Amino acid sequence: MKRERELSRLDEEALWDIVVIGGGATGLGIAVDAASRGYKVALFEKYDFAKGTSSRSTKLVHGGVRYLAQGNLKLVMEALRERGMLLRNAPHLTRRQAFIVPVYSWWSMFFYGIGLRLYDLLAGKLQIGGVRILGKKKAVELMPGIEPNKLKGGVEYYDGQFDDARLALALALTASDHGACLLNYMEVQELLHENEKLTGITCRDILSGKVYKVLSRSVINATGVFADDVLSKDKADQPGMLSPSQGVHLVADADFFPGDRALMIPRTDDGRVLFAVPWQGKVVIGTTDTPVKEVLEEPEAFEEEIEFILTHFNRYTRGGLTRKDVRSVFAGLRPLVKTGNKSATALMSRDHTIMVSPSGLITIIGGKWTTYRKMAKDAVANAAFVGKLVRRECVTDVLRLRGWEEAGEEADHLHMYGSDAAQIRSMIEEHAVLGEQLHTDHPYTHAEVLWAVREEMAMQVEDVLARRTRLLFLDAKAAWEAAPVVAGWMAAEMGKDSEWISEQVAKFRETAIGYILED
C-alpha cells in the first residue's frame, strides 16, 4: 500500500461504489469483501488501521463459551463456523490453542465437560480439536502454573488464537491487492446529501490538511465505538445506538504461567470469563467488562480493573503476579448495542446490528473479531441494495488473506508476515545492519521498520511499535526505549528531519506511559 498513490486515486475517480468509514476489523473486512466482488471501494480511517478496539482484544478466535452458557446457540454456531474459515484462510496469523478449565467439584467436571463437548460439536466439520476430562495430576502437569489446592481436575478443549493487529493489516493488504483504495489518517468531516439522500463524504488528510470530496453510491459507517458520532453527521438528532464497555488486559512474562496451555476461568465475581493465554512469548491476562460514558481514542485502565485481574489471576495460579511484574496494560472499548439492561454490559448482545438510515447511510455495530467476515458480508449486501449495484456473490469464505502460507516455525517471529517474510529476509541479507534488533530483549528488526513504511502504510512511530510490530503491547518500557531508533529509520525512509524525529518520539512516549503500570 502506497499512500501517495492512494491519495492520487481520490482525484482521479469521480464516483465510487462503496465508501467505508472506519479501518478496524469490520471496516477492513468490508473492504476485502467489496473489492473481491469487484466493486470500487474506498476506505477512510481517522487514525491508523486497527488503532482502536481491533488491536486490543484477548487475541482469541473463538465461538464464545460464555455465549453458549447464555443459550445463544445461533451466535456460537456462527462464530465457530467463522473461526474455522479464519484459521483456514490465514494460517500464518492464526493457530489452534489448547485451553484448560480448572474444576473444583465433581459437579463442575460434569457440567463443563458436557458443555464443552457441545461447544465442540457445534463447530460441525470445522472442529479443531476434541475435549478431554483431566484428573488433578494431569491438569497440573499440563498447566504447571495452576494453584493445586482444592483442584479436582480440569476440562481441556481447543479454540483459536491470532494476532489481531497483524490480521487487520493482512485484511488491508488483501483489499488493496483486489483494488480497494485504503487510507489511514483521513478524517471524515461531512456527509454529503442531495434531496435528503446520502451521496458521499468530505474528508481531510490529517497529515497534509488537504480536503477531498468523495462521491459514492453507498456509504458504510463501520467506526465501532465512534458510530454514534457518524450518525450525528447524517442527522443531528439521531439517537445513539451504543452502550460501550471497556475491557482491560495485563501482559506478563510467561514465567508467571508456564506451559503451552491457556487457562479459562468460566465465571469471575462479575460474571465474566477470565483468560490467561500464552502469546508471543508472554501471557495475556483478562478481561474486564466495565461500562464507560466517554469514548476515548486512548482508553485507560481503571485501578479497580487492574486489581480485579491481579486478584483473580493470583487466586487460580501460584505465579504471585504483582504490579511491578506487568509488562504492559492495555484497554479496549467494545461497541455494544444498547439493551434494556444498561448496568450489565457483560450480558449485552455481542451479535452485530445493521441499520439503514432514511438517507441511505448503512451503520454496522456490535459483533466481535471472530465474526468480522460475516459482518462484512452482511454490510456489503446492504450496500449493494442501497447503491443499486450489480449483484455479485461473496467469495471471502474461501479467500486466502495476504501472506497466506502453511503455518511456519513460530520460533521465527517473521512467520506472521507469511509469504512476505521472504522479502524481509532478503533485505537483511543485502544489508546486515537491517537485521539488528530494535531492542535487545525482543526479535523485531530494523528491516521491519522499513517494510512497515514501504509496504504497510506506517506513518508514525506508534504505527510501527504498536501494530506493525506488537512491542508496545508486549513490553511497553522496551517500546519506550526503542522509539528513537524507530523514528530514525522512519525519518530516513520518509525524508523527515530531526524535528519530526523529536516530535514523534515525544508523542509516542506520551502514549506509551498509559501502557506502563507503575508500582
Side-chain angles (χ1 to χ4, degrees):
M1 298 184 294
K2 310 291 185 183
R3 197 167 190 277
E4 290 304 316
R5 181 187 66 196
E6 300 298 82
L7 287 169
S8 68
R9 293 178 65 186
L10 299 184
D11 293 321
E12 297 165 0
E13 298 285 353
L15 181 66
W16 298 84
D17 292 328
I18 300 173
V19 158
V20 183
I21 308 173
T26 306
L28 293 169
I30 290 169
V32 170
D33 187 297
S36 62
R37 295 194 203 198
Y39 295 133
K40 288 171 54 178
V41 56
L43 178 147
F44 304 106
E45 165 56 45
K46 182 178 179 180
Y47 304 109
D48 184 32
F49 305 122
K51 156 73 174 177
T53 304
S54 297
S55 62
R56 303 161 189 260
S57 73
T58 315
K59 323 304 177 194
L60 300 181
V61 186
H62 63 141
V65 174
R66 180 164 54 88
Y67 311 136
L68 179 64
Q70 294 172 359
N72 194 339
L73 295 182
K74 175 180 175 293
L75 177 60
V76 174
M77 291 180 68
E78 178 180 278
L80 289 172
R81 179 172 181 270
E82 294 298 321
R83 180 192 69 179
M85 285 188 283
L86 182 52
L87 266 65
R88 183 181 64 199
N89 294 337
H92 57 304
L93 290 166
T94 61
R95 69 186 186 93
R96 195 179 71 145
Q97 172 66 53
F99 290 75
I100 294 178
V101 179
V103 294
Y104 299 89
S105 70
W106 299 117
W107 162 247
S108 295
M109 184 81 79
F110 172 80
F111 180 79
Y112 292 117
I114 295 296
L116 288 168
R117 287 189 190 280
L118 174 60
Y119 181 74
D120 193 47
L121 289 171
L122 289 174
K125 295 181 180 179
L126 294 175
Q127 291 179 23
I128 61 174
V131 175
R132 275 201 301 169
I133 303 299
L134 307 173
K136 179 177 180 177
K137 182 179 178 181
K138 189 65 175 179
V140 173
E141 175 189 331
L142 294 176
M143 200 162 47
I146 196 71
E147 169 55 57
N149 186 36
K150 298 182 180 180
L151 185 72
K152 298 296 184 183
V155 182
E156 182 184 59
Y157 73 103
Y158 287 83
D159 241 325
Q161 189 189 48
F162 76 135
D163 186 323
D164 47 12
R166 290 302 314 178
L167 180 59
L169 288 167
L171 291 173
L173 292 164
T174 304
S176 180
D177 289 344
H178 283 81
C181 173
L182 300 99
L183 285 157
N184 54 6
Y185 297 102
M186 291 289 284
E187 179 182 12
V188 172
Q189 293 185 312
E190 182 183 5
L191 301 187
L192 304 175
H193 299 83
E194 184 175 315
N195 297 324
E196 299 185 344
K197 293 297 182 181
L198 193 56
T199 58
I201 64 163
T202 61
C203 57
R204 182 178 70 90
D205 183 351
I206 292 175
L207 302 181
S208 71
K210 182 176 178 179
V211 176
Y212 296 84
K213 180 179 180 180
V214 183
L215 300 180
S216 180
R217 292 184 171 89
S218 60
V219 177
I220 301 176
N221 172 15
T223 54
V225 292
F226 298 99
D228 285 344
D229 293 342
V230 177
L231 283 167
S232 68
K233 294 180 188 296
D234 183 50
K235 187 179 180 182
D237 60 349
Q238 174 72 39
M241 298 180 64
L242 295 174
S243 181
S245 79
Q246 176 167 287
V248 169
H249 296 82
L250 306 183
V251 179
D253 290 337
D255 293 347
F256 288 94
F257 196 73
D260 59 1
R261 262 64 172 183
L263 170 70
M264 197 274 271
I265 304 302
R267 188 172 181 82
T268 61
D269 292 345
D270 71 344
R272 288 287 301 169
V273 172
L274 185 76
F275 292 100
V277 186
W279 185 62
Q280 298 196 21
K282 304 291 184 184
V283 57
V284 177
I285 310 162
T287 182
T288 58
D289 202 322
T290 308
V292 293
K293 295 181 179 180
E294 187 176 7
V295 174
L296 301 174
E297 173 193 343
E298 274 291 342
E300 295 185 2
F302 302 131
E303 279 299 317
E304 55 266 32
E305 293 178 299
I306 295 168
E307 291 303 319
F308 176 87
I309 294 175
L310 288 173
T311 297
H312 279 79
F313 178 73
N314 288 330
R315 180 184 299 173
Y316 290 96
T317 70
R318 44 188 174 186
L321 187 67
T322 65
R323 295 174 67 92
K324 66 180 178 62
D325 302 313
V326 175
R327 294 290 187 177
S328 183
V329 53
F330 62 92
L333 300 178
R334 303 182 185 90
L336 303 182
V337 183
K338 281 185 178 178
T339 67
N341 186 355
K342 297 180 181 180
S343 63
T345 57
L347 299 178
M348 287 188 178
S349 175
R350 264 58 175 179
D351 208 346
H352 66 274
T353 296
I354 295 179
M355 181 187 78
V356 180
S357 301
S359 68
L361 175 66
I362 300 153
T363 297
I364 180 166
I365 56 177
K368 59 178 185 170
W369 243 120
T370 306
T371 57
Y372 87 88
R373 191 206 67 86
K374 177 62 164 58
M375 295 169 66
K377 179 180 179 181
D378 294 346
V380 172
N382 276 270
F385 178 80
V386 169
K388 297 181 173 59
L389 306 178
V390 175
R391 183 178 176 182
R392 294 167 179 161
E393 294 300 317
C394 173
V395 299
T396 55
D397 56 336
V398 294
L399 182 68
R400 293 177 171 181
L401 299 187
R402 171 69 174 269
W404 189 98
E405 66 176 6
E406 293 291 350
E409 176 53 58
E410 291 194 21
D412 178 1
H413 80 283
L414 291 179
H415 80 274
M416 66 184 180
Y417 294 94
S419 58
D420 286 339
Q423 298 181 62
I424 299 175
R425 293 189 183 99
S426 179
M427 292 168 62
I428 294 172
E429 290 173 3
E430 292 179 15
H431 303 283
V433 67
L434 295 181
E436 295 180 5
Q437 295 164 240
L438 299 177
H439 190 280
T440 55
D441 294 338
H442 298 275
Y444 303 119
T445 63
H446 297 170
E448 291 169 79
V449 179
L450 297 187
W451 179 264
V453 173
R454 294 173 184 175
E455 304 295 336
E456 298 178 344
M457 210 179 285
M459 305 304 297
Q460 300 194 18
V461 168
E462 184 194 329
D463 302 344
V464 173
L465 286 173
R467 290 170 291 279
R468 304 317 185 273
T469 71
R470 306 313 310 276
L471 190 53
L472 179 62
F473 286 79
L474 293 167
D475 189 339
K477 288 183 179 178
W480 169 290
E481 294 167 1
V485 177
V486 172
W489 279 102
M490 292 184 74
E493 181 68 20
M494 299 166 69
K496 302 294 184 179
D497 57 19
S498 58
E499 183 179 355
W500 183 88
I501 293 175
S502 297
E503 290 175 350
Q504 278 292 301
V505 171
K507 182 179 180 181
F508 173 75
R509 285 180 166 176
E510 183 178 354
T511 297
I513 289 172
Y515 292 73
I516 298 173
L517 191 57
E518 297 297 335
D519 294 348

